[in-house]
Every structure is written in C-alpha cells, then in structure tokens.
Amino acid sequence: MSRKPVIPGVDRRQQILDAALEIFAEQGFEAATNKAIAERAVVNQGLIYFYFASKADVYFATSAYYTEQVIAQLDAVFAQVHEASPAEGLAQLLRGIMLLLSTPPASHLLRIMYQVAGSRTPAGELSNAEERRAISGLARHLTQRFREYLEARISRKQFNALNPTLVSYMLTRTLIATVTMRGQGGMAQPDLNSLAETMAALYAYGFLPRSEQSHPE
Amino acid sequence: MSRKPVIPGVDRRQQILDAALEIFAEQGFEAATNKAIAERAVVNQGLIYFYFASKADVYFATSAYYTEQVIAQLDAVFAQVHEASPAEGLAQLLRGIMLLLSTPPASHLLRIMYQVAGSRTPAGELSNAEERRAISGLARHLTQRFREYLEARISRKQFNALNPTLVSYMLTRTLIATVTMRGQGGMAQPDLNSLAETMAALYAYGFLPRSEQSHPE
Amino acid sequence: MSRKPVIPGVDRRQQILDAALEIFAEQGFEAATNKAIAERAVVNQGLIYFYFASKADVYFATSAYYTEQVIAQLDAVFAQVHEASPAEGLAQLLRGIMLLLSTPPASHLLRIMYQVAGSRTPAGELSNAEERRAISGLARHLTQRFREYLEARISRKQFNALNPTLVSYMLTRTLIATVTMRGQGGMAQPDLNSLAETMAALYAYGFLPRSEQSHPE
Amino acid sequence: MSRKPVIPGVDRRQQILDAALEIFAEQGFEAATNKAIAERAVVNQGLIYFYFASKADVYFATSAYYTEQVIAQLDAVFAQVHEASPAEGLAQLLRGIMLLLSTPPASHLLRIMYQVAGSRTPAGELSNAEERRAISGLARHLTQRFREYLEARISRKQFNALNPTLVSYMLTRTLIATVTMRGQGGMAQPDLNSLAETMAALYAYGFLPRSEQSHPE
DNA sequence: TATGAATGAGGGTTCATTCAT
DNA sequence: TATGAATGAACCCTCATTCAT
C-alpha cells in the first residue's frame, strides 16, 4: 500500500550492490536469491529489475564495481612499500595485501569470485557486457603488480632471477587462497600477522640454510 | 513396469558417486541437479534416494569417498620422496603433488570442495553424519604430511627453522589454489612442470641472493 | 526532473491511442504491455494513467475511437455504389469494403477486436463505460448497412428474396474473416481483387448454372 | 502431503490436453494460466512440465491433437453428402459442417486457433516441433476438401466454373467465421439451421433472379 | 501535465523429494 | 531394488499500477 518514501541521498542501486556483495559472498551465486538480496537491501524485489537486467547482471555489476574499489586499495598498498630493505619491504607488502584481502569488501569479493570461478559462469541478460571480463580483473591486476615489483628488484640484483611471470602468478594464487580459505578445514585459523611474517621469511630466504655462517633469524 | 535386473558387478551406488563427482565439479552443488546426476549415472532419479538421504548427502558421501582415495594417493607421493638432496626432494615432492591434484579425481574433488567451502555448507539430511567433517580432511591431511615433512628436515638441520605449522598451512593452500585456479583470470595457464620447478627454487632458496654479505633484518 | 513542454498541436492522448492500436494489433491485448505502448507513443509509461483508467480502458478507448473512424469510411463506400447494374454494383461494393478493411487502421482494428472477441472481454476500470458496447459497433454497423442495401434491392426485385437479416449477418462475417484471416493457414494469400471478383460472381449468380429449365424450390 | 492415487485408465496427459483446450478457448493463450489449466485438469501444476516442455508446447500439442480429431469428423461429413441434387447436397454439407464446427471440441479449437492467429505465435520450447505446422491444418484441410468438392461438380457441369481455389478459400473462411463469431457484436445469435439454409440458397442461386435474359459472365 | 522510481501480485518454470508399483 | 509419475515449494522475472515530484 504505502510507497517507501524516496530518501534523497540514498542510492537504491548502490544499496542493491552492497546487499548483493554480502549475499553472494555468503551463499554463492546459485544459492543466493533475489528475495534475500532485496531484503538485505531493504528494497522491493521487483526493483532489482529496474536497475539490472537479471540476477546474473547484478552479479557482474557487483563484481565489477567492487573489483575497481579493491584494485585502487591494492595500488595504494603497493605504493606505500618503503625500501628500507628488500626483506622488510617484502614483509610489509605481504602484510598489507593480506590485511586488505581479508577485510570486506575485498574478502567478500574474493569469495563470490572464486565460488563462481569453480563452476560455470552465470548466464543471463546483462545490461553491460563489459563487466563480464572485468571479473577476473582483480587477480590479473595483482599478478601484474607483483610482476612489476619482482622485475624491478631482479634488475637491481636485489632478488634472485626467478621467472617473474610464474612467481607473480604463484604469489597471487597463494595470497588469495590463504586468505579465502582461512579457517576452513576445521583447523584453528592462524593469525594473519604471523602468517605474513612467516611467508615473508620463507620467500626471502627459502628453506635451505645459507652456508655454515649465514643464519637467518 | 520392468524391473531393471541387477547386473552383477555393477554397483549403482558407485555409479552415482562417480557421476556426482563430475556433475558437482562441473556445475557446483547448487546448480547441479539430481536429474543431471542420475542421467550421467544412467540411473533412475528416484534411485538416488534409495542410496542417499538427500542431495546434500550425495555431496558428502562423494566428498568423503574421494577424499579417502586422494589421501591414499597423496601418501604414496610423500612415500616416494627420495632423499638425494633436500632441494631435489622438495622439487620432486611439489611436482608429484601438483600433478596428482590437477588430475581427476583429485581435481574434481578440489573443485567441489572449494566451491562449497566459500558458501554455506549444504544443508540436508545425511545418512552418515560422520562424513560431514571428513570433507575438509584432504586439506587437513596434506597439511599434516607437510608438517611432518618439514619437522623432520628442520630437526635434521636440513631446513631453516621456520614455524612448521604455519608453513605447512601455507604450502597446502598454495598448492591447492595454484592447481584449482589455474587458467582462470584470463591468463595463459602456465605449464605445470615449470610452475613446480619455479616453486621449488623459490621455496628452497628464497628471493634474496646468498651473497656473503647478506644480513637479513 | 524536467517537465516535457507541451508541444502545441501534439496530442499525447492521441499518440497513445495510435500506438495502442498498433501494439494491440501486433501482440493482442494480453501480450501487449503498457511499456511497449508508451515506447511506441514516445511517452512516459505513467502518463497512460493520466489519460486512461487502466490498460483495459486504453483498449476500449482505442477500439471506440477507431470504430468511429472506420464506420465513417464504410459509409462513404456504401454511398459511392453507383447503380449501373446490380451485379456491377455488388462487385464494386465488395471490392471497396475489402480494400478498406484490409488497410490500416481498419485492419488493425479488426485484429484487436477479434483476438479479444474470442476470449473474455478485458476487465478493468473504464473512464467511459459507454465505450464498452461501442466495440462491436463496427460489425453491427456493417451488418446494418448490408441489410439496408439488400432490402432496397429486394424490394425493387433486383435481388432474390433471401432473408436480409441472415444474409447481411453472413456477409459481414465473411468479409471480416476473409480479410482478417488472409494469409493464414500457410496458403498463398490470394489477391484481394480476384477474391472480390469471385465473391461478387458467386453472390450474384450462385453455383448452379442458369439453364432454362432449372427452377429451384 | 498426500499423493493423489494413480487412477488406472486415467491418462493425466490427456486430462491436461482436455483442460487446456477449454481454458485456452475461454481465455486465449496469453491470459490462460498454467494454474487454471492444472486446476481444470485436477492435476498438479508442476505435472504439466512432466508431459510438456512449456506452456507453448501444451498449446501446440492441444491444437495438433484436436485438429486431427476434427479433421476426421470433417471427412466424415464430406463422405456423407448424398447426391440427391446439387442444391440439396450443398445445403446438407453446409449444415453438417456448421453443426460440427459449432460444437466442442471443434468450436473450442477454432477459438484457440483464431485468437492466436491474430497475434504472434506463442514462443517457447516444444517437445515436438512438427506440431507447430499442424496448427493451421484444419483450415487447410477444409479448404482442400471444398476444392475437391467444387472441382468434381464443376467438371460434371453441375456447378458454374468459378475459380475453385478462391471459392474454397472463401467458403472456409466464411464457415469458420460465421461459427466462431456467432453471438458477437451484441446481436441475437441466429439459429444455425436457418443460417445454413440461407447460405445454401444464396450459394446455390445467388442474389440475381433467374430471369430469362440474365447471362452470367 | 509529465516523469522516473517504486510496488506487489502473480506467472511460468525448476527441482528436490516422495509414493505406488 | 528400481522405476516413472506426482507433488509442492520456491525461484526468477514481468508488469499493471501508483506515488512523489
């Protein structure tokens, strides 16, 4: 009966995107229902179709929107790495990224991306086909940043000459997975900072001891 | 009308498990339908409910069954590591695990586990509640094996004294993620052997050059 | 936000009627959407409810409006029949009516009337209840004109004394149906003029040869 | 809760077809709901999709099924025409066809066909694409029978040499329309037998009196 | 007058699950 | 054991209609 008053300054489309990020992260694309999204957004279910062409379209729009946000945050983390020492810089970088990726919205985004990534891409009408390819943009972007980071240090002889393409690929997967899968498998979920420290140490010096005299840590 | 004769040696329950592994891996738990599973198993849809209590139960049973299989394969890989040298042993181990995990049934199993892992655990009646916790068993087992591996080498001073709990946790996530997410993100999917080589080199020696003067931190 | 300025000479109500005639003719009452009508009329969807009480009301108004137009055209056709000879006059009349009825807006009107006629009359609020009964006015009017036409000729002994009520009824149905259903049934759609000629010949002389001795009834 | 017992000898698919014929005839394709069809058929709504691929498929299947039935009845009518005299035979034929077409299932079938014919063909998955073209089969068949009937009489000089293609086309439309639209337009609906008599008289002898001098064509 | 946004009811369709045989 | 048929609860989506501006 009563029409919800249009509250100025409240963007219903944005409300829907916010709700969708959460619901998709919690339930996955298939299990998430428009009803749940609409309720979380405190919005009429039909309104979703005023702003989006389909459920899949909501998914893609949500992914694209938050991918952009998280990429910007990621760039900020890379920009802040100070070059005190390569070892310290690496530790700082890993810590920063892990913290970022384990906090919403990035953590939600990773969840919704990697649930779907495993299965088929959602089908459905889209209002903006561009967004479809934006989805994998986060991993691609992170890999790219890692490669630049590695190449810079390798060329300065600060890092060993490992294949930067493969290593950046690996680092990306490792970070995303470590963060996304944290707390699964029934084990105590490890502290993020300890994890970052340990990763940094491992990546800096490796498993093998440095000749008799060199003793890391 | 006609009762399908029991063909000796053909285990319908197993057919269902096999089909379910594939279908769940292809489509995810929610998108997969009993119809699709029954068709793939060349079995009547109703028969599923003779052997299993619910769709979720099929899921858990499938996970538990193949987890057991893959764990056995994994143990074999660990058992084969020969101790020529720590570096070579590590490379061999990583190669073996990655190959195993990227081949069915392990690859299917990882897919169905990590799609669901992101979202809620499927709800539904179970015929065997034990199986629910068996699901994360693969990661737990792999982590455990890694820890033993690391601890053995650390105690022999072959490896640096990094926290074995955290490192084994990390290695598990890294391997699973690298294999599961391979080829996503629109990048060329890297060759598995190169990846294993590079990982081994990185994990063995780290980024920092072993020059005489290097003094970490 | 911006109020569309009232362009003088552009009657929005008329635009809606015009669009509705087309859309209803193309899709039928149920399948036609207000959205489609509004778009065709280049008008906001909500505006429909400023001029009309409901979708059904648009339907009735459209029918009533165009019925009036077509009736006027029909009267003109009847008025033009010159009485060279009864046979020629009949042919001319049929040709004229068929041409009229097979051209928009009459063809559209017939379509929208006979789609709905078959099913229930659309329900809904009306802004002008009179219009409801105006709908079938076209057929009624045509029948009436035919009856007058027949009665005049019968009284002058130019036509056989067939029951004018039944015959005019039949002629009306035949013409409307011939025109409305033309090209359906997967057959080549016959040329309108040939059809009119043949109809005229049949109606004038009948099937039975006029041999000297044949005396019906 | 309770499953409806399977009554042997009652074909649910047939129940659905029967219900669909009625509902489609009453409401038209678009306005008819699966719910209404299911209720009329005393069947669960979901069961429709066990036997048919879509609502459109129900429509086509219904059309095809009853078209076949009615065609058989029509053939029987043509077969029964006794050749007492051409005039009497014609009257008998028209009476028979009109009676048949104005009685269910033929009357329902005509309604559902000519409602849809005016608008777009229903879209949707079909279980049997053949049926799509079967829809217009009734009119085509009737036209064909009329043509044979006319050609036979024309070749025997019993009928005037009017173009049999056009005339059979016209007769088909006339009969279908007269029957389908009967009672519309707010007029008293004429008695079927009188109508048939009058039609037969008109078609036999035409409007123009058989005065000595009149020479057709 | 005119508009864009919002609402809610319902429609077609899917699907896990159950039942009679 | 095994099957085909049947059920009912959602789900996604559409659309006539309404309201604030």
Side-chain angles (χ1 to χ4, degrees):
Chain A
M1 293 297 126
S2 66
R3 176 68 30 83
K4 182 157 312 153
V6 173
I7 303 160
V10 174
D11 184 353
R12 318 283 268 212
R13 199 188 120 97
Q14 188 61 43
Q15 283 175 242
I16 295 172
L17 287 181
D18 294 351
L21 181 70
E22 290 180 22
I23 299 287
F24 282 139
E26 286 168 16
Q27 329 221 5
F29 177 77
E30 301 284 349
T33 68
N34 285 339
K35 187 162 177 284
I37 294 173
E39 276 168 7
R40 182 78 56 103
V42 195
V43 140
N44 185 284
Q45 203 181 147
L47 192 62
I48 293 177
Y49 289 84
F50 185 78
Y51 290 109
F52 303 95
S54 65
K55 186 186 170 190
D57 191 33
V58 176
Y59 174 81
F60 286 119
T62 303
S63 299
Y65 176 77
Y66 284 104
T67 293
E68 200 179 345
Q69 310 280 102
V70 173
I71 280 180
Q73 295 177 297
L74 220 39
D75 285 347
V77 171
F78 273 92
Q80 280 166 7
V81 179
H82 53 261
E83 292 299 328
S85 78
E88 180 48 35
L90 180 62
Q92 187 198 349
L93 183 64
L94 294 180
R95 221 183 301 119
I97 296 177
M98 288 182 72
L99 179 61
L100 170 60
L101 295 187
S102 61
T103 315
S107 60
H108 289 344
L109 182 60
L110 290 176
R111 261 206 158 66
I112 80 175
M113 282 170 49
Y114 288 96
Q115 281 158 18
V116 164
S119 48
R120 289 312 110 247
T121 303
E125 221 180 319
L126 298 191
S127 55
N128 180 359
E130 297 296 305
E131 294 176 341
R132 181 165 251 140
R133 47 156 272 111
I135 290 214
S136 49
L138 182 56
R140 204 162 40 227
H141 189 86
L142 182 52
T143 304
Q144 172 64 16
R145 280 274 172 280
F146 267 135
R147 185 161 52 209
E148 292 162 11
Y149 176 88
L150 294 174
E151 282 168 348
R153 274 144 196 85
I154 291 172
S155 72
R156 277 185 255 139
K157 312 280 188 196
Q158 292 177 320
F159 274 18
N160 291 323
L162 293 159
N163 179 331
T165 299
L166 290 179
V167 172
S168 59
Y169 176 92
M170 215 190 76
L171 284 179
T172 301
R173 262 70 195 160
T174 297
L175 287 182
I176 290 179
T178 308
V179 152
T180 304
M181 294 159 46
R182 212 157 48 107
Q184 280 165 17
M187 312 150 100
Q189 86 175 34
D191 169 61
L192 215 60
N193 279 321
S194 319
L195 206 47
E197 289 324 312
T198 305
M199 282 181 65
L202 172 59
Y203 285 140
Y205 308 107
F207 283 130
L208 300 190
R210 322 228 131 192
S211 51
E212 55 285 5
Q213 73 284 16
S214 80
H215 281 293
E217 300 182 61
Chain B
M1 293 298 126
S2 66
R3 200 64 38 89
K4 184 171 292 181
V6 175
I7 302 161
V10 174
D11 183 353
R12 317 285 267 201
R13 187 174 189 279
Q14 188 61 43
Q15 282 174 245
I16 295 173
L17 288 180
D18 294 350
L21 180 71
E22 290 180 21
I23 298 287
F24 283 140
E26 286 169 17
Q27 330 220 6
F29 177 76
E30 299 287 347
T33 67
N34 284 342
K35 187 161 177 283
I37 293 172
E39 274 167 8
R40 183 77 59 102
V42 197
V43 141
N44 184 282
Q45 204 183 149
L47 192 60
I48 292 177
Y49 287 84
F50 182 79
Y51 290 110
F52 304 96
S54 66
K55 187 186 171 190
D57 190 34
V58 177
Y59 175 81
F60 287 121
T62 303
S63 298
Y65 175 78
Y66 283 105
T67 292
E68 199 179 346
Q69 310 280 103
V70 174
I71 280 179
Q73 295 178 296
L74 221 39
D75 286 347
V77 170
F78 273 92
Q80 280 166 8
V81 180
H82 52 261
E83 291 299 328
S85 79
E88 182 46 37
L90 179 62
Q92 188 200 347
L93 183 64
L94 294 180
R95 221 182 301 120
I97 296 176
M98 288 182 71
L99 179 61
L100 170 59
L101 295 186
S102 61
T103 314
S107 60
H108 289 344
L109 181 61
L110 290 176
R111 258 209 156 68
I112 79 176
M113 283 170 50
Y114 289 97
Q115 281 159 17
V116 164
S119 48
R120 291 308 110 249
T121 303
E125 222 181 317
L126 297 191
S127 53
N128 179 359
E130 296 298 305
E131 293 176 339
R132 181 166 250 139
R133 46 156 272 111
I135 289 211
S136 49
L138 181 56
R140 203 161 41 227
H141 190 86
L142 181 52
T143 304
Q144 172 64 16
R145 279 276 172 280
F146 266 135
R147 185 162 51 211
E148 294 162 10
Y149 176 88
L150 293 174
E151 282 168 348
R153 274 145 197 82
I154 289 171
S155 71
R156 277 183 256 140
K157 311 281 188 196
Q158 292 176 319
F159 275 16
N160 290 323
L162 292 160
N163 179 329
T165 299
L166 291 179
V167 171
S168 60
Y169 176 91
M170 213 191 77
L171 283 180
T172 301
R173 263 71 194 158
T174 298
L175 286 183
I176 289 178
T178 308
V179 154
T180 305
M181 294 158 46
R182 213 156 47 106
Q184 279 166 17
M187 311 151 103
Q189 84 175 35
D191 169 61
L192 216 61
N193 279 320
S194 318
L195 207 47
E197 276 344 296
T198 304
M199 282 182 65
L202 173 58
Y203 285 140
Y205 306 107
F207 283 130
L208 300 190
R210 329 220 120 195
S211 49
E212 54 286 4
Q213 73 282 17
S214 82
H215 282 293
E217 302 179 59
Chain C
M1 294 297 127
S2 65
R3 200 61 40 86
K4 184 171 290 183
V6 175
I7 302 163
V10 174
D11 184 352
R12 318 283 268 201
R13 187 175 190 279
Q14 189 60 44
Q15 283 174 245
I16 295 173
L17 287 180
D18 294 351
L21 181 70
E22 290 180 21
I23 298 288
F24 283 140
E26 287 168 15
Q27 329 221 6
F29 176 77
E30 299 287 347
T33 66
N34 285 342
K35 187 163 178 282
I37 294 172
E39 274 167 8
R40 184 77 58 103
V42 196
V43 140
N44 183 283
Q45 203 182 149
L47 192 60
I48 293 178
Y49 287 84
F50 183 79
Y51 290 110
F52 305 95
S54 65
K55 186 187 172 188
D57 190 35
V58 176
Y59 175 81
F60 287 122
T62 303
S63 298
Y65 175 78
Y66 283 103
T67 293
E68 198 180 345
Q69 310 280 102
V70 173
I71 280 180
Q73 296 178 296
L74 221 38
D75 286 348
V77 171
F78 273 92
Q80 279 167 9
V81 180
H82 53 260
E83 291 297 330
S85 78
E88 181 48 36
L90 180 62
Q92 187 200 346
L93 184 63
L94 294 179
R95 221 183 299 119
I97 296 177
M98 287 182 71
L99 180 60
L100 171 59
L101 295 186
S102 62
T103 315
S107 60
H108 289 343
L109 182 61
L110 291 175
R111 259 210 156 67
I112 80 176
M113 283 170 51
Y114 289 96
Q115 281 159 17
V116 165
S119 47
R120 291 309 112 250
T121 303
E125 223 180 319
L126 296 192
S127 53
N128 179 358
E130 296 298 305
E131 294 176 340
R132 180 166 250 141
R133 47 156 272 110
I135 289 211
S136 49
L138 181 57
R140 201 160 44 225
H141 189 86
L142 182 52
T143 304
Q144 172 63 15
R145 280 275 172 279
F146 266 134
R147 185 161 52 210
E148 293 163 11
Y149 176 89
L150 293 174
E151 283 168 347
R153 272 141 197 86
I154 289 169
S155 72
R156 277 183 255 142
K157 312 280 190 198
Q158 292 176 319
F159 274 17
N160 291 323
L162 293 159
N163 178 329
T165 298
L166 290 179
V167 172
S168 59
Y169 176 91
M170 212 191 77
L171 284 180
T172 301
R173 262 71 194 157
T174 298
L175 286 183
I176 290 179
T178 309
V179 153
T180 304
M181 293 158 47
R182 210 155 50 104
Q184 279 165 19
M187 311 151 102
Q189 85 175 37
D191 169 61
L192 216 60
N193 280 319
S194 318
L195 207 47
E197 290 324 313
T198 304
M199 283 182 65
L202 173 59
Y203 286 140
Y205 308 107
F207 283 130
L208 300 190
R210 325 221 123 192
S211 51
E212 52 287 2
Q213 74 282 17
S214 82
H215 281 294
E217 302 181 57
Chain D
M1 292 299 126
S2 67
R3 175 69 31 84
K4 182 160 309 156
V6 174
I7 304 160
V10 174
D11 184 353
R12 318 283 268 214
R13 198 188 123 99
Q14 189 60 43
Q15 282 175 243
I16 295 173
L17 287 180
D18 294 351
L21 181 71
E22 290 181 22
I23 299 286
F24 282 140
E26 286 169 17
Q27 329 221 6
F29 176 76
E30 301 285 349
T33 67
N34 285 340
K35 187 162 176 284
I37 294 172
E39 275 167 8
R40 182 78 57 103
V42 196
V43 140
N44 183 283
Q45 204 182 147
L47 192 61
I48 293 177
Y49 289 84
F50 185 78
Y51 290 109
F52 304 95
S54 64
K55 186 186 171 191
D57 190 34
V58 176
Y59 174 81
F60 287 118
T62 304
S63 299
Y65 176 77
Y66 283 105
T67 293
E68 199 179 347
Q69 311 279 103
V70 174
I71 280 180
Q73 296 177 296
L74 221 38
D75 285 348
V77 172
F78 273 92
Q80 281 165 7
V81 179
H82 52 260
E83 292 300 327
S85 79
E88 182 47 37
L90 179 62
Q92 187 200 349
L93 183 63
L94 293 181
R95 220 183 302 117
I97 296 177
M98 287 182 72
L99 180 61
L100 170 59
L101 295 188
S102 62
T103 314
S107 60
H108 289 342
L109 182 60
L110 290 176
R111 261 207 156 65
I112 80 174
M113 282 170 50
Y114 289 97
Q115 281 159 16
V116 164
S119 47
R120 290 313 110 247
T121 302
E125 220 180 319
L126 298 191
S127 54
N128 180 358
E130 298 295 305
E131 294 176 340
R132 180 165 253 140
R133 46 157 273 111
I135 290 215
S136 48
L138 182 56
R140 203 161 42 226
H141 190 86
L142 181 52
T143 304
Q144 172 63 14
R145 280 276 172 279
F146 268 135
R147 186 161 51 209
E148 293 163 10
Y149 177 87
L150 294 174
E151 282 168 349
R153 275 143 197 84
I154 289 171
S155 72
R156 279 184 255 140
K157 312 280 187 198
Q158 294 177 319
F159 274 17
N160 289 323
L162 293 160
N163 179 330
T165 299
L166 290 179
V167 172
S168 59
Y169 176 92
M170 213 191 77
L171 284 178
T172 302
R173 262 73 194 158
T174 297
L175 287 182
I176 290 179
T178 308
V179 153
T180 305
M181 293 159 46
R182 211 156 49 107
Q184 280 165 17
M187 313 149 101
Q189 84 174 37
D191 170 62
L192 216 58
N193 279 321
S194 320
L195 206 47
E197 277 343 299
T198 306
M199 280 182 67
L202 173 58
Y203 285 138
Y205 308 107
F207 285 130
L208 300 190
R210 324 224 124 193
S211 51
E212 53 289 0
Q213 74 283 16
S214 81
H215 284 292
E217 299 183 57

